């Protein structure tokens, strides 16, 4: 479909997110012919740049971080759409300037031009920007103006509610796009196709056949240079409240009636509402937090969390979190969902593992089941993009011996083209006005509500023996114990 002319305003246009993700994503969309025929990108920031200076400043980054790399002639054309407007939020002049820059393109592009404001700045700037947009009447047309908000959406339930209510005085929900970039990942989007476009999984997708589910997002990297932000966040806020709970929603949701944003978001929020609230006892027994100490990664010594830049040497911020969740509804009663995430772990891998129950009666006995393993479905989100079904098969030979084999759907083997980056998908959806892959206000609040008791309890009990896992390990021993108690272990790809 023909897209409306679009003016894309990026607050934080000189920042890291723009360099690494937003500008490269817009550039790729442009190269592949998805951008509207008429569009302008206005970057803003505190530094002074001319348009040309800004274009030059972005060039290396965009070409390094985009999937397609540099295509000289395309870069030049894309570069011509980049503009710059210096901002200082204390100066009223800032929004005057921005407004006249926007109006210039509105005039040029004519009727139906839409303006998208992307807030890629620290959350403390959200209110002043949102309020100024209102004051300068930049958001009045509901159909043609949108705001995209990066995480973190709130620091806790209360601040998330405050932000939602502030935004709702300026925008309608239809105009607000809250980003959770996990939802833009190709493999994550495929979860719905896989579950609801096939007849063979959904009938088994419940407590009768599923034993438990694991959602694991492990990272080899440490906090890098983000200590300043991470100190006030920790793994629960940084990953579980948003990304992992979104994955839990996709695995746990009921079938939507149609592929429609409201419908899908309703089904997802229902999952969050059905999650059993954590009691003090649950927190004690069913949650684990950890923090990495120094260690060796591929022959190189790496710092412990407390030694990282901008981190308190006595910090109690967790860099690892694991918890056992329950969903109290008909489908999932009695099926535990184990979630874990952490930094400086042994592998970078995002996996959803569906562990099926054992067969009701085992006819193969003794040595025949030597390598006995139950059925598993493993959805690998990244870096490997695949879905594996583990089943038992007879090992060739004269004896009846079974062993597990994998049936694999591997993106690399199946599709020639690269998958788009999450931000490409999400930015294009925002341009097209499709909110399916964005978080609705009530969803964000429901997710905060779930993690608040854990956050509060962890914050009130400071006497913990951090650090409690080595860089390059699988996290604290207690995380193994959490799942081992129920007779399982964390599943990792070989
Ligand atoms: C971000 C977190 O939201 O997600 C980071 O703030 C984390 O700490 C990142 O590293 C992980 O994203 P991805 O796409 O690399 O899995």
């Amino acid at each position: 479909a023909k897209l409306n002319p679009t003016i894309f305003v990026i607050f934080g246009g000189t920042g890291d997110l723009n360099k690494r993700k937003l500008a490269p994503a817009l550039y790729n969309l442009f190269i592949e012919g998805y951008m509207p025929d008429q569009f302008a990108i206005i970057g803003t920031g505190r530094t002074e740049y001319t348009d040309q200076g800004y274009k030059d400043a972005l060039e290396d980054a965009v070409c390094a971080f985009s999937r397609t790399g540099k295509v000289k002639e395309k870069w030049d054309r894309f570069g011509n759409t980049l503009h710059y407007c210096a901002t200082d939020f204390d100066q009223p002049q800032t929004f005057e300037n921005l407004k006249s820059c926007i109006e210039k393109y509105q005039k040029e592009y004519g009727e139906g031009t839409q303006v998208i404001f992307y807030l890629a700045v620290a959350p403390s700037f959200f209110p002043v920007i949102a309020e100024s947009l209102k004051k300068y009447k930049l958001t009045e047309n509901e159909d043609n103006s949108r705001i995209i908000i990066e995480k973190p959406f709130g620091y806790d339930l209360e601040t998330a509610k405050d932000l939602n209510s502030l935004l709702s005085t300026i925008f309608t929900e239809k105009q607000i796009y809250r980003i959770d970039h996990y939802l833009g990942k190709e493999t994550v989007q495929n979860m719905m196709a896989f579950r609801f476009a096939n007849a063979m999984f959904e009938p088994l997708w419940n407590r009768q056949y599923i034993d438990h589910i694991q959602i694991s997002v492990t990272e080899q990297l440490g906090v890098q240079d983000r200590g300043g932000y991470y100190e006030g966040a920790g793994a629960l806020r940084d990953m579980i409240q948003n990304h992992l709970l979104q994955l839990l929603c996709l695995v746990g949701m009921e079938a939507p009636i149609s592929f429609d944003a409201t419908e899908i978001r309703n089904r997802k929020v229902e999952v969050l509402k059905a999650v059993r609230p954590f009691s003090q006892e649950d927190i004690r027994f069913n949650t684990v937090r950890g923090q990495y100490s120094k260690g060796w990664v591929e022959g190189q010594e790496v710092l412990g969390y407390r030694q990282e830049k901008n981190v308190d040497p006595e910090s109690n911020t967790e860099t690892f979190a694991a918890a056992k969740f329950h969903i109290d509804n008909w489908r999932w009663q009695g099926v535990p969902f184990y979630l874990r995430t952490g930094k400086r772990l042994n592998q970078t891998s995002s996996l959803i593992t569906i562990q099926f129950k054992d067969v009701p009666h085992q006819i193969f006995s003794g040595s025949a089941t030597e390598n006995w393993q139950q059925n598993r479905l493993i959805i690998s989100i990244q870096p490997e993009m695949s879905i594996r079904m583990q089943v038992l098969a007879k090992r060739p030979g004269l004896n009846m011996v079974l062993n597990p084999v994998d049936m694999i759907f591997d993106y690399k083997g199946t599709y020639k083209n690269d998958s788009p980056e999450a931000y490409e998908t999400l930015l294009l959806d925002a341009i097209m006005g499709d909110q399916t892959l964005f978080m609705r206000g009530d969803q964000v609040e429901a997710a905060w509500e779930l993690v608040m008791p854990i956050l509060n309890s962890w914050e009130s009990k400071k006497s913990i023996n951090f650090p409690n896992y080595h860089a390059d390990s699988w996290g604290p021993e207690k995380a193994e114990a959490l799942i081992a108690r129920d007779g399982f272990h964390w599943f990792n790809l070989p």
Side-chain angles (χ1 to χ4, degrees), residues 263-365:
E263 179 59 27
I264 288 167
R265 299 199 295 178
N266 285 345
R267 295 293 86 80
K268 285 170 68 181
V269 89
E270 281 163 14
V271 178
L272 294 176
K273 294 215 165 122
V275 172
R276 187 180 307 164
F278 280 80
S279 66
Q280 286 310 310
E281 189 167 316
D282 288 329
I283 295 170
R284 208 159 337 119
F285 293 108
N286 293 329
T287 70
V288 174
R289 56 178 156 161
Q291 188 194 71
Y292 60 86
S293 61
K294 62 180 196 256
W296 293 82
V297 176
E298 287 162 5
Q300 293 236 333
E301 189 165 30
V302 297
L303 299 177
Y305 178 69
R306 288 179 176 183
Q307 287 82 52
E308 303 270 18
K309 204 170 73 198
N310 298 325
V311 169
D312 178 351
E314 290 174 18
S315 170
N316 282 332
T317 298
E318 82 284 355
T319 59
F320 177 100
K324 176 178 170 183
F325 286 74
H326 293 278
I327 301 180
D328 285 332
N329 61 17
W330 276 59
R331 187 190 283 266
W332 295 119
Q333 195 54 247
V335 181
F337 282 66
Y338 301 95
L339 272 54
R340 83 168 165 179
T341 185
K343 295 204 180 278
R344 279 273 180 251
L345 297 178
N346 180 261
Q347 227 179 58
T348 295
S349 170
S350 302
L351 291 182
I352 300 176
T353 305
I354 317 285
Q355 177 72 63
F356 288 91
K357 288 188 174 169
D358 206 345
V359 291
H361 170 65
Q362 186 53 267
I363 61 165
F364 303 98
S365 59

Side-chain angles (χ1 to χ4, degrees), residues 74-88:
K74 298 241 167 143
W75 164 258
D76 288 342
R77 277 179 37 221
F78 179 77
N80 291 338
T81 69
L82 291 171
H83 310 277
Y84 190 76
C85 186
T87 45
D88 172 350

Side-chain angles (χ1 to χ4, degrees), residues 234-236 240 283-292 306 315-323 339 341-342 454-469 475-479 482:
L236 199 58
I240 299 221
I283 295 170
R284 208 159 337 119
F285 293 108
N286 293 329
T287 70
V288 174
R289 56 178 156 161
Q291 188 194 71
Y292 60 86
R306 288 179 176 183
S315 170
N316 282 332
T317 298
E318 82 284 355
T319 59
F320 177 100
L339 272 54
T341 185
I454 310 176
L455 275 179
N456 289 336
S457 157
W458 286 1
E459 271 162 22
S460 70
K461 293 192 201 87
K462 294 284 188 200
S463 58
I464 29 171
N465 54 341
F466 276 0
N468 61 355
Y469 70 94
E477 273 167 28
K478 278 190 171 166
L482 169 83

Side-chain angles (χ1 to χ4, degrees), residues 48-337:
E48 293 285 341
Y49 280 118
T50 57
D51 286 357
Q52 183 61 41
Y54 184 57
K55 175 178 160 185
D56 293 344
L58 275 186
E59 178 168 356
D60 287 345
V62 169
C63 296
F65 293 114
S66 87
R67 265 187 307 126
T68 31
K70 184 162 177 171
V71 184
K72 172 84 179 81
E73 169 255 345
K74 298 241 167 143
W75 164 258
D76 288 342
R77 277 179 37 221
F78 179 77
N80 291 338
T81 69
L82 291 171
H83 310 277
Y84 190 76
C85 186
T87 45
D88 172 350
F89 300 135
D90 296 329
Q91 300 295 329
Q93 193 57 37
T94 282
F95 284 89
E96 304 271 356
N97 292 348
L98 187 60
K99 188 175 167 101
S100 56
C101 188
I102 291 172
E103 281 172 350
K104 185 176 124 205
Y105 294 104
Q106 275 172 329
K107 237 180 241 141
E108 184 183 329
Y109 299 161
E111 195 125 330
T113 301
Q114 52 187 19
V115 190
I116 302 180
F117 298 98
Y118 198 118
L119 271 51
V121 289
S124 52
F125 294 113
F126 293 173
V128 55
I129 296 176
E131 275 160 359
S132 307
L133 293 178
K134 177 177 179 177
K135 187 162 156 214
Y136 288 88
K137 300 194 178 1
L138 286 163
T139 60
E140 287 186 338
N141 187 330
E142 259 188 58
D143 296 321
N144 288 340
S145 64
R146 292 176 199 140
I147 185 164
I148 307 182
I149 305 214
E150 258 300 323
K151 61 159 282 202
F153 195 92
Y155 179 74
D156 52 20
L157 178 59
E158 206 181 306
T159 47
K161 279 187 173 164
D162 288 349
L163 183 54
N164 271 336
S165 57
L166 170 77
L167 292 175
S168 69
T169 62
I170 303 170
F171 303 93
T172 61
E173 183 64 32
K174 196 174 103 178
Q175 293 173 282
I176 308 173
Y177 289 67
R178 298 174 192 79
I179 288 247
D180 183 319
H181 79 281
Y182 264 62
L183 297 181
K185 290 182 190 276
E186 197 58 54
T187 35
V188 172
Q189 291 181 70
N190 189 39
M191 287 286 301
M192 284 224 267
F194 191 72
R195 281 192 61 191
F196 302 124
N198 295 296
M200 48 190 291
F201 302 106
E202 214 39 37
L204 306 184
W205 212 261
N206 57 52
R207 64 189 304 274
Q208 246 151 9
Y209 298 98
I210 293 177
D211 187 276
H212 76 272
I213 290 173
Q214 300 182 15
I215 300 177
S216 164
V217 178
T218 60
E219 294 182 283
Q220 279 181 304
L221 286 179
V223 289
Q224 312 300 100
D225 48 9
R226 295 167 74 225
Y229 149 76
Y230 200 85
E231 266 293 86
L236 199 58
R237 283 193 174 89
D238 186 49
M239 297 293 289
I240 299 221
Q241 186 273 339
N242 39 59
H243 309 321
L244 276 83
L245 284 180
Q246 285 302 309
L247 296 178
L248 176 131
C249 287
L250 287 167
V251 179
M253 71 197 269
E254 297 301 317
I257 290 167
S258 62
F259 196 69
D260 160 84
T262 306
E263 179 59 27
I264 288 167
R265 299 199 295 178
N266 285 345
R267 295 293 86 80
K268 285 170 68 181
V269 89
E270 281 163 14
V271 178
L272 294 176
K273 294 215 165 122
V275 172
R276 187 180 307 164
F278 280 80
S279 66
Q280 286 310 310
E281 189 167 316
D282 288 329
I283 295 170
R284 208 159 337 119
F285 293 108
N286 293 329
T287 70
V288 174
R289 56 178 156 161
Q291 188 194 71
Y292 60 86
S293 61
K294 62 180 196 256
W296 293 82
V297 176
E298 287 162 5
Q300 293 236 333
E301 189 165 30
V302 297
L303 299 177
Y305 178 69
R306 288 179 176 183
Q307 287 82 52
E308 303 270 18
K309 204 170 73 198
N310 298 325
V311 169
D312 178 351
E314 290 174 18
S315 170
N316 282 332
T317 298
E318 82 284 355
T319 59
F320 177 100
K324 176 178 170 183
F325 286 74
H326 293 278
I327 301 180
D328 285 332
N329 61 17
W330 276 59
R331 187 190 283 266
W332 295 119
Q333 195 54 247
V335 181
F337 282 66

